[in-house]
Amino acid sequence: MFRARRCVTPYGERPAAVRVRDGRIAAVEAVTAEAGADTVVELADDEVLLPGLVDTHVHVNDPGRAEWEGFATATAAAAAGGVTTIVDMPLNSIPPTTDVRALEIKKAAARGKCAVDVGFWGGAVPGNAGDLPALHRAGVFGFKCFLLDSGVAEFGCLRPHELEEHLAVVAGFDGLMICHAEDGRRIGRARGRAYADFLASRPPDAEADAVELVIGAARRTGARAHIVHLSAGESLPLLADARASGVRITAETCPHYLAFTAADVPDGATAFKCCPPIRDAANRDALWRGLADGLIGAVVSDHSPCTSELKRLDTGDFGAAWGGIAGLQVGLPAVWTAARERGVPLADVVRWMASGPADLVGLRRKGRIAEGADADLVVFAPAEEFTVDAAELRHRNPVSAYDGARLRGVVREVWLRGEPVGDRPRGSLLERGKA
């Protein structure tokens, strides 16, 4: 049993005793409930019991680019940050997860190495529409596509007619297509150290145009579509109108868009480079409103690490650097720090980072402290402060936009299915419909 004066449940924060049996939550009772024969974990007065977070946007890059990350290091970082379930993206690994054979290769790379539970996305690329049903049957949680150059040659982008073709296939088995929505025709070429030049090269209307494209294709095919890493507030009215008219479209954003603004990014600081980019303060405010209004339903890391050399830290050239932020371990304190300053309660943060992503992919036993759910639990000290040191983070390469940031909220303990997360990998490989 876990006894907490503060416990975040689907009904808000309240005192509770959480009874665990055989890796599941057997009951959520009054905090004064008798323990009986149970061992009791008593939380301190400054601690809150949270459900394990669910991060559905993680690039593990293994196999093929394990020097960028890898299952052992990615899941260790996840656990240290209170994330007990991740869903791995289909690209940056070699081969990309675009057919069942590649999925099996990826599972073999992950097996026995994971500190937390891991699921997998499939990939939608030119020419593989016929592979999607078999990948769906094999248990992927949906399909990732790019509407512009993905940055890696082996994962091609879909042109508009290909997007529609793939969505029509996905609609046939009521799957989920998740889309990197930027219009490559509106993307400029950035060179040099000036962040303002890089930001200008990826304007918000490049996102909005691509979001409109996805909305139109989803409307015509009836497919479920999802916009990943939304960074531009201009897209929110488009999503609102589409959903009001019955289009099945959802969106997520990321901690770095909620925590930082363009003014926080020094010239040459390529650790901050991501695509789409971190925008201005007014845009950040719009994303927070989108969360409050329910237009954005999840906050996930888009953890996309690489080697220090690929980040071009030596030259600070935004045009040449790999675009991706390594933030899996610090997403919760980064969002909580910004949320607290805005008066947003911790229960909302947990909903966006736990049950929201879990619901997106159909993981009904994850991301919530409720009877029948997996006993994935986190002891969190929301008032404790710390300074991020990238060299001490658990992901493979010591590069992070959060390096030196002063954040509030420390993960003290993590349990996976009722057992403490330790040095022995206990994570399971998850399949859609079986978890």
Side-chain angles (χ1 to χ4, degrees), residues 158-298:
L158 298 182
R159 292 171 291 179
H161 73 276
E162 292 168 325
L163 172 65
E164 194 130 354
E165 175 192 9
H166 283 69
L167 279 173
V169 171
V170 169
F173 49 75
D174 198 29
L176 175 65
M177 180 73 79
I178 65 173
C179 306
H180 181 129
E182 288 183 284
D183 185 342
R185 297 170 300 179
R186 291 188 173 270
I187 303 296
R189 181 159 185 167
R191 292 188 178 91
R193 295 173 53 84
Y195 184 71
D197 291 346
F198 170 67
L199 179 59
S201 75
R202 303 185 89 97
D205 58 3
E207 271 193 88
D209 287 356
V211 168
E212 278 199 291
L213 174 68
V214 175
I215 288 169
R219 178 179 283 114
R220 289 186 293 273
T221 60
R224 288 192 296 144
H226 177 77
I227 305 300
V228 297
H229 50 51
L230 187 77
S231 83
E234 285 86 341
S235 297
L236 292 170
L238 302 174
L239 294 170
D241 290 346
R243 290 170 61 169
S245 67
V247 179
R248 298 197 295 166
I249 190 159
T250 53
E252 68 189 38
T253 194
C254 303
H256 41 274
Y257 300 129
L258 300 172
F260 298 122
T261 71
D264 298 318
V265 183
D267 289 345
T270 51
F272 288 85
K273 181 183 176 180
C274 56
C275 302
I278 296 165
R279 305 189 188 277
D280 63 21
N283 186 84
R284 181 177 63 176
D285 291 344
L287 295 177
W288 279 101
R289 288 194 299 272
L291 285 163
D293 294 342
L295 290 174
I296 302 172

Side-chain angles (χ1 to χ4, degrees), residues 145-164:
C145 73
F146 273 72
L147 303 183
L148 80 170
D149 182 3
S150 71
V152 291
E154 67 276 0
F155 197 94
C157 64
L158 298 182
R159 292 171 291 179
H161 73 276
E162 292 168 325
L163 172 65
E164 194 130 354

Side-chain angles (χ1 to χ4, degrees), residues 371-389:
E371 184 177 339
D374 287 351
D376 301 342
L377 300 168
V378 174
V379 175
F380 184 62
E384 185 176 346
E385 296 186 8
F386 72 104
T387 300
V388 178
D389 181 347

Side-chain angles (χ1 to χ4, degrees), residues 17 43 46 58 74 78 92 101 103 161 219 271 356 383 433:
L43 271 67
D46 68 333
V58 178
N92 300 345
R101 175 181 170 275
L103 175 64
H161 73 276
R219 178 179 283 114

Side-chain angles (χ1 to χ4, degrees), residues 60 62 70-79 84 86 88 106-120 416-417 421-430:
V60 178
D62 192 7
F71 283 100
T73 51
T75 59
T84 53
I86 67 170
D88 173 53
K106 178 164 282 194
K107 286 182 175 180
R111 200 166 283 120
K113 298 178 182 176
C114 299
V116 302
D117 288 351
V118 177
F120 303 94
L416 181 67
R417 294 187 302 280
V421 172
D423 294 332
R424 183 174 66 86
R426 295 187 54 256
S428 297
L429 305 187
L430 306 177

Side-chain angles (χ1 to χ4, degrees), residues 97-105 107 111 118-122 131-143 173 429-434:
T97 316
T98 53
D99 57 31
V100 172
R101 175 181 170 275
L103 175 64
E104 291 306 317
I105 291 170
K107 286 182 175 180
R111 200 166 283 120
V118 177
F120 303 94
W121 292 106
D131 292 301
L132 303 189
L135 275 167
H136 180 74
R137 291 191 297 270
V140 299
F141 286 88
F143 305 92
F173 49 75
L429 305 187
L430 306 177
E431 295 182 11
R432 178 196 45 78
K434 297 182 181 179

Side-chain angles (χ1 to χ4, degrees), residues 260 264 266 269 271-272 313 325-327 330 334 386-393 395 397-407:
F260 298 122
D264 298 318
F272 288 85
L313 302 177
I325 286 180
V330 295
F386 72 104
T387 300
V388 178
D389 181 347
E392 295 181 355
L393 297 176
H395 64 256
N397 292 286
V399 180
S400 177
Y402 297 94
D403 188 36
R406 187 73 177 166
L407 300 179

